[in-house]
Amino acid sequence: MLTDRIAVITGGSRGIGREIAMTLAAKGAVVIVNYNGSAEKAEAVVKEIQAAGGKGEAVQCNVSDFEKAAELMEYVVKKYGRIDILVNNAGITRDGLVMKMSEEDFDAVIATNLKGAFNCIRHVARQMVKQRAGRIISISSVSGVLGNVGQANYSASKAGLIGLTKTVAREMASRGVTVNAVAPGFIDTEMTQVLSDKVKESVMEQIPMKRFGATKDIANTVAFLASDDAGYITGQVICVDGGMAM
Ligand code: NAP
């Protein structure tokens, strides 16, 4: 159980982040459902959490903004006194072959997926060290482990998250803070629903288990890493991908 643990989930309004928020709340955590633009969806997640007897609130913040990320963490610490769990889930795609990729599309993906995670970690690290306890879990991707045609920006951001995870894990290991990454394969969310049937078919060929994953598959892994049972696991990348990256 995660009773009364304070958990910040970035990008908790939709998809995988939404499922992580619901799952941690069901285990007793107080969940801060961060979102960027989807206020109504984030409020709906909180309503669903509360209807099930859980606790949480929605807080807007563009995590790619260093100062705004600081304000988000300061707000949570001021209100709840601590932050036990940070899940860096916020992410975007701007796919295209590298020879056609614009500078803007490269920068936008790095800014949200990689710098956004750095910003949140940067502003939570001191608090967790002070607490001598904490869990940081970042959602990477199989694309960051294997690379993926059309995703130079996204793969770079997700591989960067793995380096960030391992370094912060080393820096914080002796302070009771564990830092891990989860690398999902292809999960059925709005992010993958936009893919063409042709792309989906070619992806399916690369999945040994021959099916896309569900958001619950990722949320359950995050819940485990956030729990006391995972206290001796740090600096790891857990692939939840139907065998893609084995
Ligand atoms: P999604 O359905 O597109 O949801 C993305 C979430 O990120 C939304 O809640 C969105 O909030 C939030 N977000 C985007 N930019 C943000 C920003 N600048 N600041 C704060 N929040 C921001 O995506 P998903 O499929 O659930 O993916 C979630 C994570 O898993 C991402 O990091 C993604 O790269 C990773 N992942 C997904 C898959 C997959 O197959 N779906 C596979 C591997 C890894 P708003 O709605 O408010 O914009």
Side-chain angles (χ1 to χ4, degrees):
M1 289 303 282
L2 300 170
T3 312
D4 293 334
R5 304 274 164 93
I6 309 302
V8 177
I9 321 297
T10 72
S13 53
R14 297 186 278 124
I16 292 171
R18 178 184 191 282
E19 193 75 45
I20 293 169
M22 304 285 299
T23 302
L24 299 195
K27 291 181 181 294
V30 179
V31 175
I32 286 76
V33 180
N34 159 253
Y35 64 95
N36 186 23
S38 307
E40 276 179 27
K41 287 186 176 171
E43 291 296 349
V45 174
V46 171
K47 280 216 177 79
E48 212 171 317
I49 285 171
Q50 288 169 343
K55 291 179 217 156
E57 66 171 299
V59 182
Q60 196 281 333
C61 172
N62 178 350
V63 293
S64 68
D65 184 319
F66 188 78
E67 296 303 332
K68 297 280 181 214
E71 284 170 22
L72 169 67
M73 300 308 166
E74 280 161 19
Y75 167 79
V76 176
V77 172
K78 200 165 173 203
K79 182 160 178 182
Y80 298 98
R82 53 191 294 120
I83 298 177
D84 299 296
I85 301 160
L86 166 65
V87 183
N88 288 310
N89 166 80
I92 59 169
T93 50
R94 295 278 188 278
D95 295 354
L97 294 175
V98 73
M99 63 181 88
K100 291 184 188 165
M101 188 173 286
S102 69
E103 182 183 9
E104 200 183 24
D105 283 349
F106 186 84
D107 288 348
V109 169
I110 298 291
T112 296
N113 299 9
L114 181 56
K115 190 174 171 232
F118 162 74
N119 289 343
C120 292
I121 291 171
R122 170 69 179 78
H123 297 302
V124 93
R126 208 179 291 271
Q127 177 63 32
M128 285 185 173
V129 165
K130 201 165 109 190
Q131 293 167 186
R132 295 242 151 210
R135 294 276 194 269
I136 298 173
I137 300 149
S138 297
I139 308 301
S140 177
S141 168
V142 68
S143 298
V145 178
L146 298 176
N148 191 27
V149 171
Q151 293 199 310
N153 47 3
Y154 185 79
S155 303
S157 73
K158 295 299 184 179
L161 269 182
I162 293 172
L164 180 66
T165 294
K166 291 182 178 178
T167 293
V168 180
R170 287 182 186 278
E171 289 184 5
M172 299 181 78
S174 64
R175 315 296 177 94
V177 181
T178 69
V179 188
N180 292 290
V182 175
F186 280 76
I187 308 299
D188 187 18
T189 70
E190 286 174 36
M191 190 177 269
T192 48
Q193 278 155 16
V194 298
L195 299 173
S196 68
D197 286 345
K198 198 175 156 216
V199 171
K200 283 185 189 165
E201 273 167 34
S202 91
V203 165
M204 206 60 91
E205 279 169 24
Q206 300 167 50
I207 307 174
M209 291 183 75
K210 297 292 168 217
R211 61 179 175 84
F212 277 24
T215 53
K216 198 78 194 158
D217 295 318
I218 309 306
N220 287 339
T221 306
V222 170
F224 168 65
L225 289 171
S227 75
D228 291 343
D229 289 342
Y232 201 54
I233 301 174
T234 199
Q236 301 304 305
V237 183
I238 314 285
C239 295
V240 183
D241 62 0
M244 271 186 98
M246 76 171 92

